[in-house]
Amino acid sequence: MEHWLWIILAALFFECKGQDTVTQPTGDVTATEGDTVTLNCTFETTYSGPTLFWYKQEENDFPKYMLKCFSKSVDHAPEIQKDRFHAEIKEKSVPLKIQKLQLSDSAVYYCALQPTVTGNTTTLYKNLWSKDNTILHNIH
């Protein structure tokens, strides 16, 4: 039986410095198990040696770091299969190539340009409060 995979491309627009941007085509990519697919990502930056990241977000989960590309090297997260996931910076793009597709590859994929957070980083540390002012969850 042939299984279909759904890969969703989502665009993240991070304003890093000046007019720095990251753009991904939106929409679904449909492929079958065993196929190869390339997800596109283009960027504009004022940095001379940009670093770009790819993240994977599975259903009902948060985006997880997959790999980062800088200069002529790629650094993969330990759980990422290097023989199946490949990316490298080519001029103003950093396409992600996924080979030998598996059902577990169905996800939303994000491309991001470093730095991915700018400004006051203290806003990253917040507490969630309930209506009766008791702390629900401390996010760090």
Side-chain angles (χ1 to χ4, degrees):
M1 174 182 243
E2 197 172 87
H3 295 281
W4 289 93
L5 291 93
W6 296 90
I7 296 173
I8 299 173
L9 300 175
L12 287 182
F13 299 98
F14 291 104
E15 187 172 319
C16 301
K17 179 181 166 190
Q19 294 297 315
D20 295 359
T21 59
V22 174
T23 307
Q24 289 179 254
T26 55
D28 295 352
V29 174
T30 306
T32 58
E33 279 184 291
D35 283 354
T36 296
V37 68
T38 300
L39 309 179
N40 293 312
C41 172
T42 58
F43 63 92
E44 291 291 330
T45 183
T46 55
Y47 289 100
S48 59
T51 301
L52 286 107
F53 298 85
W54 276 99
Y55 295 90
K56 176 182 180 181
Q57 184 175 8
E58 295 175 343
E59 189 174 4
N60 298 320
D61 206 353
F62 57 89
K64 292 180 183 160
Y65 165 75
M66 291 180 60
L67 56 87
K68 73 176 175 180
C69 300
F70 48 96
S71 302
K72 294 290 180 189
S73 15
V74 177
D75 181 33
H76 291 79
E79 66 278 3
I80 297 299
Q81 299 170 347
K82 295 177 185 178
D83 61 325
R84 291 197 326 107
F85 295 88
H86 178 74
E88 79 179 75
I89 297 173
K90 298 178 181 178
E91 295 189 23
K92 298 289 184 187
S93 71
V94 61
L96 174 66
K97 185 176 185 179
I98 308 172
Q99 300 179 78
K100 301 175 189 162
L101 283 170
Q102 301 172 2
L103 285 176
S104 60
D105 296 330
S106 295
V108 178
Y109 290 82
Y110 297 98
C111 177
L113 174 66
Q114 187 178 33
T116 57
V117 177
T118 60
N120 182 0
T121 56
T122 58
T123 59
L124 294 175
Y125 303 95
K126 292 191 178 286
N127 294 324
L128 299 179
W129 295 87
S130 68
K131 290 181 181 177
D132 62 356
N133 288 332
T134 58
I135 194 165
L136 290 176
H137 187 66
N138 191 6
I139 302 172
H140 292 285

